[in-house]
Amino acid sequence: MAASPEGSGPTTPTSKPLEIRTKSVEQTLVPLVTQITTLVNHQEKRIRRTEKACRAVQRVGEAVSFAVDRFVTVGQAIGDQNKEIKQEMYDACLEARTAGDSIATITNVQYIHGDEELLFNDKSQMVRAARALLSSVTKVLMVADKVMVKQLLCAKDKVLTSLVHLEGVSNFSEFVQLFSQFGTEMVELAHLSGDRQADLKDERARAKMGAARAVLERSTMMLLTSSKTCLRHPDCGPAVQNRNSVFQQMREALSAMEGVVTEGSWLQEEDRLMSPVCLHNVVKQFEDAVERTRVTLMQPTDKEKLQESLNVIIDQANDFTDSAYTSHEHREKILNLCESSRMELQGLLQVDTNNVFYHRRRLYMHPAFLPPGLWHRKDQGGKLDTTEELETAIIKTCKSMKELKKQLQNTALDQASEIFKTNEDHDILSTLKVSGTQGDAERVEEYCGKFTEHSEQLIEACRLLRHIAGNDPLYITACHAESCIRNLSPQLATATQTLVANPASKIARENLDVFCDAWESQINEMSVLVKEINDFCSGRKGEKTVYLSLPRPGKHGTTLKTIKPVKLDAEEQAKIAKLGLEMKLMTSELDAETEKWEDPDNDIVKKAQNMSSMSYSMYLFTRGEGPLKTTQDLFSQAEHFAEEGNKLFKTVRDFSADIPDGVHKAELLAHLDKIPTFCQQLNFTCKSPTVGKQATFTKVDSAIQETKNLMNTVAKVVTTCFTAATKYNLDTGSSPVNRWRSGPPPLMDIRTSQNGEEGTPQHTQETRMNSLLRSKAVQQPIQTINAFERI
């Protein structure tokens, strides 16, 4: 949505249209646009000037003017609290107030008895006033949005300043004090950046913001342990190198976050370079150009562009054929398909050349001399006419390119699947931990080399996945995964070298454990990415089947007297949505775990999938979507979720009896014993009575939090069951497809405020901004306008 900055006249050549980048601003303008459209459209209904019509029109104008006045008052209050935008805000508010008064003046129609004159004879006057009002209100909202951007950038600067202080600290007491302050600042940044990410309209910007937040989240714990290790062993070179790399990584993430918020030049440059890098986009452009030859005559420049596009595709396909991890079979197929595409394109260009010749010849022939059906029949020699040859050439060219694209997708996905099948990460990391603790430098060096080779294979897989990513968010996520693996690999190596140099150091062991957990989390995220890209390539857009377990009227589980449902407002929905995002990640992880089992009728798999579908419907509730419309629906769904958790507990307990005593059985029982407790807590929360809206909101928050905890435990149980079944060859009909042992990575703790209580930190400016964005002032005239429409 964009609005012209000029309200009463045409846009000047030097003026720029107002680009709305956030959902909150756009949604606030929707009712105003509806009202303005209603007023303008009434010019075409030829309403006569009657006493009833005049009163209705006057009420509309007064209501709009009053609503704008209230709206402007909030905007001026924001300007008074922010001196740097005060003048700009006051100017925008003045324009809005003037535009509102203009509409009130235009709609102030006096009734004259017996006058049959039409209302609003001059439609252009109302159009100019409406345009001015929409433009000025948009300006007010966008100036107010600068306050939110400023708050986020200030929070980012505080974190950056704390990083500088932490980097120069020299003793533990000072470090503990500074890190405590740093943690508080990170929580504030998590709040603001999370809100901004959810509010951004552009999906690429949201993906980039999410990637930057993920790096900061993961790096916080690594910064703590690496700094403690460096303070404990200041003379150890790998420890210093390990800590410095974390600082550099966090600075880059903060810079990326700032670029997304301010639309920096580097971000625009990256967007400009994205299209030619992504092979999927180049193939789509090529296919579209080939399809256009059906309706347009191909010029010499068009032929050159087609040939250049094909050359780019073949050059990018070399990344697949040159990869050391591509099988010989895949390499041969890619090369053959590239050659086939080149030959089919040459045939298309030749046919189109003949087609142009015939068309030019036809221009000089009178229609009376043209034989009937010249362009849709065979000639005397039985050869297809030009149009049919062109159609055949287009079909062959598109078919060959489609086969090439499918082969490239299979190559990238097969290469990624092979990595997860071998599960090499777990063995290498376990060996590095043991060897580091024993001080075995030679073995550590040997396995660090193996780990480096494995990291290069993962980086290569990410690079190929980036080529076949079907949309911008998947492309950005693949780039983020590649960057994280490229950074984490040397960091984990230096953490291991620090431990082998100080094998008795407890903090060095803890530091290595943290980096290993970060690596496992990143691999886990990569497995989810592979699944999403595979779904996109297969035509599945990531939509899930929602498990409908709500009681229906007249069925068992319903009562005659139902509890009155309570709906959450926009602010409460936003808070709950943050927990919902965490639960969404848990759902994706559980789906990845259940897909390891080949037998879909396995009881463990079926119950886990049911729980995943139910939690997904609860996640949709946090977004205001899906079948759960009210809080009572949510609580009913949560009760069924807990019931399914108890069923899963009984099934897995019976399965555990077949597992021999050992580490796997102990690990499984440790996770399994937590399920009844979580189910009991969830049931207690859902059945506890509440009075009032705030109590209901707290109940919703607790229910989603406990559902998330139960989902996390279920994912670990399913993973351990699969590992045990595979190792001991139990009769479950399962085989590894996508294997990793770790649970999903934790998200930033956005529920803890600065004072340690649950909720969002209170900022006066933010509160005023939110009240402006959700202000119902501009919505007030709706009822009056509806009454006017009935006249």
Side-chain angles (χ1 to χ4, degrees):
M1 178 182 289
S4 172
E6 299 294 332
S8 58
T11 304
T12 60
T14 57
S15 63
K16 295 181 179 180
L18 299 176
E19 181 182 358
I20 300 174
R21 298 189 178 94
T22 57
K23 299 176 184 176
S24 54
V25 172
E26 185 177 68
Q27 292 171 358
T28 305
L29 289 173
V30 169
L32 181 60
V33 172
T34 303
Q35 297 159 26
I36 291 176
T37 303
T38 302
L39 285 174
V40 174
N41 289 343
H42 272 82
Q43 313 309 309
E44 302 174 357
K45 293 186 177 180
R46 303 183 62 83
I47 301 177
R48 299 291 177 178
R49 179 179 290 181
T50 63
E51 184 177 3
K52 189 176 182 181
C54 289
R55 286 200 303 268
V57 170
Q58 190 172 4
R59 286 197 302 269
V60 171
E62 291 175 353
V64 169
S65 179
F66 178 71
V68 172
D69 187 71
R70 291 179 55 196
F71 182 81
V72 164
T73 302
V74 180
Q76 289 176 338
I78 294 177
D80 291 336
Q81 294 182 2
N82 299 271
K83 303 301 180 183
E84 67 279 0
I85 66 165
K86 182 176 181 179
Q87 189 58 46
E88 187 179 3
M89 176 64 81
Y90 267 60
D91 292 342
C93 289
L94 179 61
E95 289 184 25
R97 196 186 300 273
T98 303
D101 293 341
S102 299
I103 289 183
T105 302
I106 295 173
T107 56
N108 188 14
V109 182
Q110 298 296 327
Y111 171 69
I112 302 177
H113 183 70
D115 191 353
E116 293 296 329
E117 182 183 355
L118 293 175
L119 297 178
F120 309 136
N121 290 327
D122 188 4
K123 179 178 178 179
S124 61
Q125 186 181 10
M126 175 61 76
V127 171
R128 287 195 299 270
R131 184 185 302 156
L133 178 60
L134 178 60
S135 175
S136 56
V137 170
T138 303
K139 284 183 180 179
V140 173
L141 290 171
M142 296 185 68
V143 173
D145 187 63
K146 292 182 180 180
V147 178
M148 304 297 293
V149 173
K150 176 191 171 186
Q151 289 181 356
L152 198 155
L153 294 179
C154 287
K156 186 270 301 182
D157 291 339
K158 289 180 183 179
V159 172
L160 193 59
T161 302
S162 296
L163 284 177
V164 175
H165 294 160
L166 285 171
E167 196 169 12
V169 74
S170 57
N171 59 76
F172 271 102
S173 59
E174 184 182 1
F175 171 78
V176 171
Q177 181 180 1
L178 290 176
F179 195 85
S180 177
Q181 178 184 353
F182 170 77
T184 302
E185 294 166 351
M186 281 294 294
V187 170
E188 181 181 6
L189 181 61
H191 279 293
L192 297 174
S193 61
D195 292 339
R196 191 67 181 180
Q197 179 184 352
D199 198 25
L200 289 170
K201 287 174 54 182
D202 190 276
E203 58 183 10
R204 296 172 300 171
R206 289 200 303 271
K208 291 171 184 175
M209 178 68 83
R213 295 180 73 240
V215 172
L216 290 175
E217 168 203 341
R218 184 180 294 123
S219 300
T220 301
M221 191 61 186
M222 294 191 294
L223 179 64
L224 174 62
T225 57
S226 62
S227 297
K228 289 167 63 177
T229 304
C230 189
L231 289 173
R232 182 66 58 86
H233 308 287
D235 298 330
C236 182
V240 176
Q241 184 180 356
N242 183 251
R243 186 200 65 162
N244 292 342
S245 64
V246 178
F247 275 109
Q248 180 62 26
Q249 185 172 289
M250 296 190 74
R251 288 193 179 96
E252 292 175 356
L254 290 172
S255 177
M257 182 178 292
E258 180 181 6
V260 174
V261 173
T262 61
E263 294 291 327
S265 58
W266 70 270
L267 187 63
Q268 298 174 2
E269 181 68 13
E270 182 181 349
D271 289 340
R272 185 182 69 81
L273 295 176
M274 180 179 295
S275 294
V277 173
C278 184
L279 182 59
H280 179 274
N281 291 347
V282 183
V283 170
K284 188 176 185 304
Q285 293 170 4
F286 177 83
E287 291 175 336
D288 292 342
V290 171
E291 293 287 348
R292 283 196 299 271
T293 59
R294 283 192 172 97
V295 294
T296 60
L297 294 179
M298 192 179 300
Q299 302 298 324
T301 55
D302 297 330
K303 295 181 180 181
E304 293 178 0
K305 290 180 180 178
L306 274 176
Q307 291 175 336
E308 289 175 0
S309 296
L310 182 61
N311 291 335
V312 171
I313 293 172
I314 293 176
D315 289 342
Q316 296 297 327
N318 290 337
D319 289 344
F320 293 79
T321 56
D322 295 343
S323 174
Y325 308 102
T326 300
S327 65
H328 178 72
E329 180 183 359
H330 282 312
R331 185 177 291 108
E332 288 295 325
K333 287 183 178 180
I334 293 173
L335 292 175
N336 293 335
L337 289 171
C338 285
E339 185 62 27
S340 175
S341 298
R342 193 187 297 275
M343 293 175 59
E344 296 298 345
L345 178 60
Q346 291 299 325
L348 172 64
L349 298 180
Q350 183 64 34
V351 171
D352 193 78
T353 300
N354 297 334
N355 198 25
V356 171
F357 171 77
Y358 280 114
H359 273 279
R360 288 178 177 173
R361 181 181 176 185
R362 185 175 182 179
L363 292 175
Y364 296 99
M365 297 178 64
H366 192 276
F369 296 96
L370 289 176
L374 174 66
W375 307 107
H376 301 282
R377 64 182 179 84
K378 296 182 180 181
D379 59 16
Q380 294 180 354
K383 184 179 179 181
L384 290 175
D385 65 23
T386 310
T387 302
E388 293 180 0
E389 288 184 15
L390 178 62
E391 180 67 21
T392 302
I394 291 174
I395 293 175
K396 288 183 178 180
T397 304
C398 291
K399 180 181 178 182
S400 63
M401 184 53 60
K402 183 178 180 181
E403 292 176 350
L404 175 60
K405 180 174 67 174
K406 185 63 177 178
Q407 180 59 43
L408 295 176
Q409 292 173 351
N410 292 338
T411 302
L413 293 173
D414 287 351
Q415 192 173 125
S417 298
E418 285 297 325
I419 297 175
F420 295 116
K421 282 182 181 180
T422 58
N423 197 21
E424 189 176 357
D425 305 76
H426 183 71
D427 298 334
I428 295 178
L429 294 182
S430 299
T431 304
L432 286 176
K433 289 180 182 179
V434 174
S435 302
T437 305
Q438 296 175 349
D440 191 346
E442 293 184 0
R443 191 169 179 80
V444 165
E445 184 178 359
E446 175 188 354
Y447 273 82
C448 278
K450 292 183 178 181
F451 183 74
T452 301
E453 294 177 1
H454 180 68
S455 303
E456 292 175 354
Q457 184 178 2
L458 286 168
I459 292 173
E460 185 72 17
C462 289
R463 190 155 66 101
L464 300 187
L465 290 172
R466 183 186 65 193
H467 277 305
I468 66 171
N471 53 40
D472 288 339
L474 289 178
Y475 176 89
I476 294 171
T477 305
C479 293
H480 168 66
E482 179 182 351
S483 176
C484 288
I485 293 173
R486 197 182 298 276
N487 291 331
L488 271 174
S489 178
Q491 288 175 341
L492 199 146
T494 53
T496 307
Q497 293 167 4
T498 302
L499 178 59
V500 77
N502 306 275
S505 175
K506 182 178 179 180
I507 183 58
R509 290 198 300 272
E510 180 185 353
N511 184 51
L512 179 57
D513 288 338
V514 168
F515 278 89
C516 288
D517 291 341
W519 178 267
E520 292 176 354
S521 298
Q522 183 56 52
I523 299 301
N524 193 41
E525 290 180 7
M526 183 179 171
S527 68
V528 175
L529 171 65
V530 172
K531 179 181 181 298
E532 291 177 349
I533 292 179
N534 183 40
D535 289 345
F536 190 94
C537 294
S538 303
R540 301 188 299 269
K541 304 302 181 181
E543 298 179 356
K544 295 188 55 172
T545 301
V546 178
Y547 182 81
L548 297 177
S549 60
L550 297 178
R552 301 179 181 88
K555 300 292 182 181
H556 296 291
T558 61
T559 58
L560 296 177
K561 185 177 180 180
T562 59
I563 301 176
K564 184 179 180 180
V566 178
K567 279 200 170 186
L568 304 181
D569 59 26
E571 184 176 359
E572 292 168 338
Q573 282 277 9
K575 293 180 181 179
I576 293 297
K578 296 173 182 178
L579 280 177
L581 292 176
E582 299 182 17
M583 192 162 63
K584 171 65 165 57
L585 184 58
M586 301 291 183
T587 303
S588 299
E589 172 59 20
L590 184 57
D591 289 342
E593 295 299 332
T594 55
E595 287 186 356
K596 298 176 182 179
W597 305 75
E598 283 187 353
D599 184 9
D601 295 329
N602 184 281
D603 288 340
I604 297 177
V605 174
K606 290 172 64 177
K607 289 181 172 57
Q609 288 177 343
N610 285 343
M611 296 183 70
S612 174
S613 297
M614 284 189 279
S615 67
Y616 187 76
S617 65
M618 297 172 71
Y619 157 72
L620 291 178
F621 173 83
T622 65
R623 294 170 52 91
E625 303 171 0
L628 309 181
K629 304 302 182 183
T630 65
T631 53
Q632 186 58 39
D633 292 343
L634 176 71
F635 300 145
S636 299
Q637 183 76 95
E639 291 180 16
H640 285 274
F641 182 79
E643 181 181 351
E644 197 71 16
N646 286 322
K647 293 179 181 179
L648 177 67
F649 169 77
K650 296 176 182 178
T651 302
V652 176
R653 186 180 58 185
D654 295 339
F655 171 76
S656 65
D658 298 332
I659 304 176
D661 293 337
V663 177
H664 292 89
K665 185 171 185 176
E667 182 181 0
L668 175 60
L669 294 178
H671 294 315
L672 187 62
D673 290 341
K674 298 178 183 178
I675 291 182
T677 303
F678 285 136
C679 292
Q680 184 179 7
Q681 291 175 351
L682 183 57
N683 271 321
F684 178 78
T685 299
C686 295
K687 294 179 181 179
S688 61
T690 55
V691 178
K693 188 175 182 180
Q694 184 59 40
T696 302
F697 169 69
T698 303
K699 182 177 177 180
V700 170
D701 180 86
S702 301
I704 294 179
Q705 178 66 40
E706 289 163 6
T707 301
K708 186 195 72 172
N709 295 336
L710 181 54
M711 279 289 295
N712 187 22
T713 303
V714 169
K716 294 178 180 179
V717 167
V718 174
T719 302
T720 311
C721 286
F722 175 77
T723 304
T726 304
K727 181 174 181 180
Y728 299 109
N729 196 23
L730 300 179
D731 186 14
T732 58
S734 60
S735 64
V737 175
N738 215 1
R739 180 172 181 172
W740 189 252
R741 293 172 56 86
S742 68
L747 298 179
M748 302 177 76
D749 188 4
I750 52 182
R751 300 188 307 110
T752 306
S753 63
Q754 296 179 9
N755 57 8
E757 299 176 352
E758 290 189 347
T760 306
Q762 298 296 322
H763 302 284
T764 303
Q765 297 174 353
E766 181 180 2
T767 304
R768 286 187 176 274
M769 175 61 188
N770 290 335
S771 65
L772 177 64
L773 293 180
R774 291 190 301 273
S775 176
K776 296 183 180 179
V778 296
Q779 303 178 10
Q780 187 181 11
I782 283 287
Q783 295 180 354
T784 309
I785 289 179
N786 291 337
F788 178 62
E789 288 179 337
R790 290 194 295 269
I791 298 176

